[in-house]
Structures are given as C-alpha cells and as structure tokens.
Amino acid sequence: MNRRELRVMSKLTENEHQYLKRIGLSEDAIAVYELLLKHSQLTAGQIADHLGLFASAVYRLCYDLEATMLIRIINTRPKQFIPIQRQLGLAASFENEKRLLKELLHINQLG
C-alpha cells in the first residue's frame, strides 16, 4: 500500500493534514500517524513494512510524533507505537504548540 492509498483510507481530514505539516511534521511522519490511526498499535518493523521505510527511520519519526503528543511509545521489546485518540491527540498537540509559542514570546519580551 503506498502513501497515497493510505491517505484515502486515513481518518485525517485535509485540514488536519495541513495542520500537521504546519507544525513541522514530514509527510513520512504524517503517513506513520495515519497508519497508526488505522491499525491502533504497531511495531517499527510493521510500520516499516507497510510504508517501505527503514525501521531506524520509523523510530525517528515516532519520536517526533511522540514529542508532538500524537502517539505513545510503549517500552516493550519490540517497542509498540500507539496513537492518541485522534481528537485528543490533535487537541494536545495544538495546546503544546500554543504553550511553546507563549514561551517563545515571553523570551523575546525579556530580551
């Protein structure tokens, strides 16, 4: 399944996809998120197989997704990647971006 086919099957709207791009996620990171939304829980190897990526790249992408509060990483062997429920994940990501922006504005006001 290629990324375009995945987009058709994904649960993300075009606006959600654009938001994720605006906060700095790559197309590959968004594809990983969409795949996790579809499958609920996967390992890096499973994600790599679905998307044609190297497992090491999948780990980097998942760490980016975790930093934006869109997924959780379960520290089992192998690690499991679980999406935060779509609405909650996007809302948490948005709140995190607002917090970071406020911190940045505060730093600029001090300097």
Side-chain angles (χ1 to χ4, degrees):
M1 173 180 318
N2 66 36
R3 288 182 186 95
R4 179 178 217 152
E5 291 169 333
L6 183 63
R7 284 289 317 278
V8 171
M9 295 173 51
S10 90
K11 298 177 181 179
L12 293 178
T13 66
E14 187 59 33
N15 285 340
E16 291 167 337
H17 185 88
Q18 290 305 317
Y19 165 74
L20 295 176
K21 285 180 69 172
R22 264 195 312 272
I23 65 169
L25 291 178
S26 67
E27 288 293 333
D28 284 342
I30 295 169
V32 169
Y33 182 56
E34 289 174 320
L35 185 66
L36 286 169
L37 287 172
K38 181 177 181 277
H39 291 278
S40 300
Q41 181 173 337
L42 294 170
T43 65
Q46 291 168 321
I47 295 168
D49 288 345
H50 277 285
L51 299 178
L53 300 170
F54 291 109
S56 58
V58 170
Y59 279 105
R60 282 192 308 276
L61 296 168
C62 285
Y63 292 135
D64 290 345
L65 289 166
E66 182 185 43
T68 59
M69 306 177 127
L70 293 170
I71 70 166
R72 289 185 312 134
I73 299 174
I74 307 299
N75 286 316
T76 57
R77 286 203 180 271
K79 288 185 180 186
Q80 298 286 319
F81 303 100
I82 301 171
I84 304 297
Q85 183 184 22
R86 188 176 111 234
Q87 294 299 337
L88 293 175
L90 290 169
S93 177
F94 180 72
E95 289 302 318
N96 187 50
E97 290 301 311
K98 279 182 17 183
R99 182 186 57 77
L100 292 172
L101 247 149
K102 285 180 183 178
E103 288 176 8
L104 192 64
L105 289 172
H106 179 71
I107 290 170
N108 284 340
Q109 290 172 352
L110 293 175

